[in-house]
Amino acid sequence: MIDPPASYRWTRRIALTVLLAFTLTPVLVMLSSSLKPLQDVQGPFRWIPSTITLRPYADIWKTVPLGRYFVNSLIVSGGATVCSVLIAILAAYAVSRYRFRGRRLFTVTVLSTQMFPGILFLLPLFLLFVNIGNSTGVALYGSRGGLILTYLTFSLPFSIWMLAGYFDSIPRDLDEAAAVDGCGPLRTLVRIVIPAAVPGIVAVAVYAFMTAWGEVLFASVMTNDETRTLAVGLQGYATQTDVYWNQVMAASLVVSVPVVAGFLLLQRFLVAGLTAGAVK
């Protein structure tokens, strides 16, 4: 194997260093600001705090009901992730393994929904939820269940499209072998296809969770004080008279921990799911 020239290696190192600095600088600013008293944050910025305090990390739970927002975000994001994965697996398996009338139209329609900005669906969904609540008594507006349904409208299309392509990469010989052994379609999906498609399923789950965890537009309209999520709840640190910048930075670091930890734990599955098939 021929080693790359020294100029290439140095260019790569410089580019990666610049990219790393560009990525980590905002995180370091947040960390530095979260360890300062409020008066220091409001003054000229200094990388190293003159007074280091952990008080903002304790106050973030008192200034706003951050714990409730955290639970709401976990329930909504987890529910949207589970529903997206389950429905996407069934739909993608049908698209990948069966030829039926309207299959191509269904695939194109699912993918075309990604062309439209989310704000176009905000008012129709709002009116739909309100009308359903008035006519049936099922409270979708202002509920966590309604927010989960809302997130499914834009996480499901991509999930179905991605998993369908991943299932296509799994040899159909496995399905035929399972059929010879007496497995029906559902049993084949559970015992053969899903184990072979774990990287793709994990990639879809990470995408659905991250999409729901950081979404602001729909959460700001479809929730109330009891069902508010973290992305919207962080606005509570800004009052009419002041903005608790040190607490904002501390809370931002805290709420990013689940996503970062999950990504680090699942990154090998995520990379494999986005770049390769699961041919066994």
Side-chain angles (χ1 to χ4, degrees):
M1 183 177 179
I2 302 177
D3 293 333
S7 59
Y8 171 79
R9 294 197 301 269
W10 279 104
T11 302
R12 183 177 60 182
R13 291 171 184 171
I14 293 173
L16 291 176
T17 301
V18 172
L19 181 61
L20 182 63
F22 180 79
T23 304
L24 291 181
T25 297
V27 179
L28 295 176
V29 171
M30 293 170 60
L31 179 61
S32 175
S33 300
S34 68
L35 297 174
K36 298 177 182 178
L38 182 59
Q39 59 271 19
D40 290 354
V41 180
Q42 294 174 336
F45 178 76
R46 297 176 59 181
W47 284 101
I48 301 177
S50 58
T51 302
I52 297 179
T53 177
L54 296 177
R55 184 64 181 271
Y57 288 91
D59 292 340
I60 58 176
W61 308 96
K62 304 174 184 177
T63 304
V64 301
L66 191 64
R68 185 172 69 215
Y69 299 158
F70 206 97
V71 172
N72 289 337
S73 289
L74 284 177
I75 293 175
V76 171
S77 300
T81 300
V82 171
C83 292
S84 292
V85 170
L86 291 179
I87 298 174
I89 287 175
L90 297 175
Y93 183 71
V95 171
S96 173
R97 290 301 193 261
Y98 298 100
R99 297 296 179 265
F100 52 89
R101 185 182 299 274
R103 173 181 175 273
R104 184 175 181 83
L105 177 62
F106 172 78
T107 304
V108 173
T109 302
V110 165
L111 191 57
S112 64
T113 58
Q114 302 297 296
M115 299 169 52
F116 304 99
I119 195 171
L120 292 180
F121 302 99
L122 182 58
L123 183 57
L125 283 173
F126 173 79
L127 295 177
L128 182 63
F129 285 0
V130 171
N131 290 330
I132 290 177
N134 293 335
S135 59
T136 65
V138 179
L140 293 178
Y141 172 73
S143 67
R144 290 180 293 210
L147 195 58
I148 291 174
L149 289 177
T150 300
Y151 290 156
L152 289 179
T153 60
F154 49 85
S155 65
L156 259 182
F158 178 81
S159 300
I160 294 173
W161 173 78
M162 181 176 177
L163 275 183
Y166 201 94
F167 287 165
D168 286 340
S169 67
I170 300 176
R172 295 177 183 271
D173 295 342
L174 297 177
D175 299 44
E176 297 173 358
V180 171
D181 291 338
C183 294
L186 185 59
R187 192 175 180 185
T188 300
L189 171 64
V190 174
R191 300 190 61 180
I192 304 298
V193 178
I194 290 180
V198 168
I201 295 172
V202 171
V204 167
V206 171
Y207 165 78
F209 185 87
M210 293 181 65
T211 300
W213 186 265
E215 201 280 326
V216 176
L217 177 62
F218 288 91
S220 62
V221 176
M222 298 294 188
T223 59
N224 52 34
D225 292 338
E226 294 298 323
T227 59
R228 192 163 293 157
T229 59
L230 283 171
V232 181
L234 292 180
Q235 299 176 5
Y237 293 106
T239 64
Q240 294 181 350
T241 59
D242 210 344
V243 179
Y244 300 101
W245 288 112
N246 53 349
Q247 295 186 39
V248 172
M249 299 301 176
S252 299
L253 289 174
V254 169
V255 302
S256 64
V257 168
V259 175
V260 174
F263 181 82
L264 292 177
L265 290 174
L266 301 174
Q267 61 175 335
R268 65 188 183 95
F269 294 104
L270 180 63
V271 173
L274 293 175
T275 60
V279 179
K280 302 294 183 183

